[in-house]
Amino acid sequence: MKKTVVIGIGNRDRGDDAAGPVAAEKLSRLPNRLFDVIENDGDVTKLVDCLGIYDDVIIVDAVQSVAVGKVTTWNVSTGWLSAAGTKRPFELSGHLFGLKYAIELARALGRFPRRVTVYGVHASQFEFFRPMTAEVVSGVDRVVDLIRAMVGSR
Amino acid sequence: MTETALRHIPITPRVSRVAEVDYLARVEGEGGLYVKTRGKEVETVQFKIFEPPRFFEAFLRGREHTEAPDITSRICGICPIAYQMSAVQAMEDALGVELTKTIRDLRRLIFCGEWIESHALHVYMLHAPDYLGYDDAIQMAAKFPKHVTAGLKLKKAGNELMRFLGGREIHPINVRVGGFYMLPRRPELRELLDPMREARDIAADTVRFAARLPFPDYDRDYEFVSLTDPKQYPINEGRIASSQGLDIAVGEYEEHFEELQVPYSNALHSILKARGEYLVGPAARYYLNGDKMPDLVKHAAREVGFRREDCRNPFKSIIVRALEMLFACEESIRLIKEYERSGPACVNYGARAGVGYGCTEAPRGALYHRYAIDAEGLITAAKIVPPTSQNQKSIESDLSGVVKKYISMSASDDELRRRCEQTVRNYDPCISCATHFLRLEVDRT
């Protein structure tokens, strides 16, 4: 089983939904990193696959919220928790199925890592061909720093 | 999101019941349902959808004709290839472009990938749970892990074909007016043969799985509409035909079909000018073209006892999708084996003013595009009619029939909602992606 992966989920064409892929891209450029990095455009099958082959999975995704730019962390290793300020996080999705759906599907299939951590960047603008809002850009940078501290580098 | 009034209320003959349905929160569209009944009779059924492509039709005006496949692929995350194919076909029609056999075969091959991944998603993630009494595939996975895992593998095979030929699964980047940006190398393409053979085996199992599901006893006499091709099961080429005798060129579409505004919905309803509602999608394709399936698929259909007439039961569309997945796998293997890299990736053409028409078979049904371009190659007008829009009247009629059937059986509100959701999912519309998409409030006053 592979060790650690960071998965940035989102659609780069849809405003703040680019948060996940942009975070993944920034992390992929780190020298001597100790983890794999994957960009996922929201495909549930690829996400379920990843959950089955890694020991430690870190996911970055935009979450629809009024607290734009805020970063919330969820440890969903043993179950799904909701955080204050987000209404049914990750259940509605711009990625065909919600992130929660993919995670719970992997859990139901018995293909689940030791640890799954989700970093949600709170966002509200998901229109096609619009750039990320400034607050979300800052939130992405904070997530990158948090993940670097979490998994470190050589 | 769904909110339902979970109350069982006995039927009384003169009591009027009104279902006020709010908009369904959805990703690629929103839907709502309004049902009014009186006793056992259904007085009104209104199915509302917000239609995203209208924004894209306006957005395309003033853009280069070469941008059409890239822009329209954003309309739908599940079937981007269909939008690209209808777009390039229409542009090539306007510009008088003649494609090589290699390009046409590769387009058919990438389309097979989309049929496989879309149908696999629908069968295992969206529709099978309805028949087995589960709220979603997560619940179903706990009891049927091998089936759900197989379904994911099937979807992955389709995605891989799309990624290999299109550059990526979501919003492919290799399709262009005149052909492709790059042609694959034969040895690399042949590496997909083994995964596709495995996918074919899974698809064959899927036909057997789907055929064993419990089907409501319900059928209607639809007018089926799809592409037809005298030589092969149609995907991205052909004429437009119907089960009531229609047989027209794609360019004649708007002489026979029109869109109507309905006061209760943002979406337009498509009708045949001569006869009204019609149905597009796998059942229509199979009904009109099933005789052109390869022997492997015909044998699979015979094995499970599926007949052409079964297309009239919309709940059996899940079997048709399974058969089409088997076909797409078999067709992919044939096209991969026969592929020879010859000719240019893209044929040359010159810009000229004109109007062009395109129609291809998205997984959900016929997808029509029309574009007008000026002498500089800029788009001056665009019209896109997706399959879900074309099916709206048929969906309403099916909902009316199903509601009537189950109200007469004294169904509770919860069972009624489930049957209505299942009915809509027969059409695999984009709005059915969420687990619980239908907000059905039954007001039995």
Side-chain angles (χ1 to χ4, degrees):
Chain A
M1 180 168 275
K2 297 186 181 184
K3 194 85 164 101
T4 303
V5 65
V6 175
I7 306 173
I9 298 179
N11 187 330
R12 285 178 177 268
D13 291 337
R14 295 187 71 170
D16 291 339
D17 204 38
V22 170
E25 183 183 356
K26 288 176 183 278
L27 287 162
S28 70
R29 293 189 188 141
L30 292 178
N32 304 318
R33 55 183 164 85
L34 298 173
F35 50 89
D36 292 342
V37 178
I38 296 173
E39 279 192 39
N40 183 304
D41 47 26
D43 186 85
V44 64
T45 55
K46 287 193 288 190
L47 188 56
V48 171
D49 273 352
C50 283
L51 291 166
I53 62 175
Y54 283 93
D55 180 60
D56 185 6
V57 176
I58 300 165
I59 297 170
V60 183
D61 195 5
V63 54
Q64 191 166 21
S65 158
V66 297
V68 178
K70 178 182 172 184
V71 173
T72 303
T73 308
W74 288 269
N75 183 334
V76 296
S77 306
T78 57
W80 194 265
L81 307 172
S82 57
T86 57
K87 187 177 179 183
R88 300 176 64 185
F90 304 113
E91 288 190 17
L92 304 178
S93 170
H95 320 310
L96 191 64
F97 288 102
L99 172 60
K100 178 181 177 182
Y101 188 99
I103 287 176
E104 295 309 314
L105 184 60
R107 205 193 305 271
L109 289 171
R111 294 157 52 175
F112 210 70
R114 177 183 57 83
R115 182 171 72 172
V116 180
T117 310
V118 178
Y119 286 90
V121 182
H122 294 233
S124 63
Q125 191 276 102
F126 297 95
E127 292 176 30
F128 269 111
F129 313 120
R130 296 280 300 276
M132 287 194 296
T133 52
E135 294 91 337
V136 172
V137 171
S138 298
V140 167
D141 288 339
R142 282 200 300 281
V143 166
V144 170
D145 289 339
L146 286 168
I147 292 175
R148 286 180 66 180
M150 181 182 180
V151 291
S153 58
R154 207 173 299 125
Chain B
M1 289 183 286
T2 59
E3 292 175 5
T4 60
L6 298 177
R7 298 171 296 147
H8 173 69
I9 297 184
I11 297 169
T12 56
R14 295 186 183 183
V15 168
S16 205
R17 295 162 65 174
V18 173
E20 184 71 52
V21 180
D22 216 332
Y23 283 106
L24 314 168
R26 263 309 312 131
V27 173
E28 281 122 355
E30 299 174 348
L33 178 62
Y34 176 87
V35 175
K36 181 175 181 180
T37 67
R38 182 179 292 275
K40 295 185 179 182
E41 294 302 315
V42 178
E43 290 191 341
T44 306
V45 170
Q46 296 175 349
F47 185 55
K48 313 168 196 176
I49 289 182
F50 171 72
E51 193 171 273
R54 286 294 172 258
F55 162 76
F56 281 85
E57 286 177 345
F59 188 70
L60 283 161
R61 287 200 291 268
R63 311 295 296 199
E64 294 281 347
H65 71 279
T66 51
E67 295 180 280
D70 297 319
I71 292 173
T72 58
S73 73
R74 265 80 179 163
I75 291 176
C76 183
I78 316 172
C79 51
I81 291 294
Y83 278 90
Q84 291 192 320
M85 290 300 157
S86 288
V88 296
Q89 189 184 93
M91 293 302 180
E92 287 153 2
D93 182 48
L95 296 163
V97 177
E98 290 289 332
L99 300 175
T100 66
K101 183 178 183 302
T102 296
I103 291 172
R104 290 167 62 197
D105 284 350
L106 281 176
R107 285 188 175 177
R108 188 171 171 86
L109 180 57
I110 194 174
F111 225 132
C112 284
E114 181 161 279
W115 275 26
I116 293 166
E117 64 89 7
S118 177
H119 284 352
L121 181 80
H122 171 83
V123 169
Y124 284 104
M125 298 293 129
L126 301 180
H127 214 189
D130 286 333
Y131 295 88
L132 297 172
Y134 298 109
D135 285 340
D136 53 42
I138 296 170
Q139 290 186 7
M140 185 175 137
K143 297 289 186 183
F144 293 86
K146 288 183 181 175
H147 288 85
V148 175
T149 301
L152 290 172
K153 211 176 241 188
L154 201 45
K155 185 180 188 314
K156 189 177 177 181
N159 281 351
E160 184 56 25
L161 190 50
M162 289 171 65
R163 186 203 62 75
F164 182 83
L165 292 172
R168 59 188 189 196
E169 302 97 332
I170 306 268
H171 314 322
I173 54 176
N174 195 30
V175 176
R176 64 187 295 193
V177 177
F180 293 87
Y181 287 98
M182 283 180 57
L183 292 182
R185 294 190 180 86
R186 179 179 158 87
E188 292 169 357
L189 184 60
R190 289 182 71 86
E191 288 179 10
L192 295 175
L193 275 173
D194 281 345
M196 203 47 66
R197 288 183 181 115
E198 187 181 0
R200 182 177 57 185
D201 291 342
I202 297 173
D205 286 340
T206 304
V207 173
R208 290 185 276 271
F209 165 74
R212 287 197 301 265
L213 295 170
F215 297 105
D217 183 20
Y218 177 85
D219 61 73
R220 274 203 307 129
D221 189 17
Y222 301 93
E223 179 158 6
F224 294 117
V225 173
S226 83
L227 289 181
T228 57
D229 186 324
K231 296 179 184 173
Q232 57 188 358
Y233 197 77
I235 301 179
N236 59 335
E237 295 179 47
R239 293 173 61 83
I240 298 173
S242 87
S243 53
Q244 304 273 6
L246 185 75
D247 182 2
I248 60 172
V250 171
E252 299 174 80
Y253 176 89
E254 291 176 56
E255 296 174 29
H256 296 269
F257 297 86
E258 67 178 335
E259 292 179 293
L260 304 175
Q261 181 72 49
V262 295
Y264 55 83
S265 177
N266 289 346
L268 301 177
H269 283 199
S270 288
I271 59 166
L272 267 161
K273 292 179 184 178
R275 290 179 293 279
E277 73 173 62
Y278 61 99
L279 184 152
V280 299
R285 287 193 290 262
Y286 191 91
Y287 188 90
L288 293 170
N289 303 283
D291 58 323
K292 310 216 178 46
M293 282 289 198
D295 290 341
L296 177 77
V297 180
K298 288 180 181 175
H299 175 76
R302 276 197 304 271
E303 184 189 35
V304 300
F306 185 82
R307 307 158 304 153
R308 181 176 183 242
E309 294 69 32
D310 290 325
C311 291
R312 299 197 184 281
N313 183 339
F315 294 93
K316 293 188 177 180
S317 59
I318 194 171
I319 305 175
V320 181
R321 286 191 175 83
L323 288 167
E324 284 197 334
M325 275 198 287
L326 181 58
F327 158 74
C329 291
E330 178 78 343
E331 184 72 347
S332 297
I333 292 168
R334 179 186 75 81
L335 289 166
I336 291 171
K337 283 181 176 176
E338 291 179 6
Y339 174 71
E340 293 288 346
R341 191 181 187 194
S342 66
C346 181
V347 298
N348 289 325
Y349 63 89
R352 71 182 192 195
V355 179
Y357 310 87
C359 188
T360 66
E361 288 285 341
R364 286 153 192 78
L367 169 60
Y368 171 79
H369 286 212
R370 184 225 333 138
Y371 300 99
I373 53 177
D374 64 20
E376 279 76 49
L378 297 179
I379 298 170
T380 58
K383 183 181 179 74
I384 298 170
V385 185
T388 299
S389 298
Q390 295 179 75
N391 279 336
Q392 285 193 68
K393 278 214 175 295
S394 190
I395 292 174
E396 282 190 353
S397 295
D398 275 357
L399 282 167
S400 180
V402 167
V403 167
K404 184 174 181 178
K405 177 185 172 78
Y406 283 93
I407 280 184
S408 70
M409 293 161 60
S410 301
S412 67
D413 288 357
D414 190 43
E415 185 178 2
L416 202 57
R417 176 183 62 80
R418 286 176 180 271
R419 286 299 180 190
C420 286
E421 287 189 3
Q422 185 180 13
T423 301
V424 176
R425 284 199 184 99
N426 290 335
Y427 291 80
D428 188 19
C430 287
I431 63 166
S432 71
C433 293
T435 303
H436 294 289
F437 69 92
L438 190 63
R439 295 184 69 179
L440 173 63
E441 183 180 328
V442 181
D443 181 1
R444 309 184 196 218
T445 56

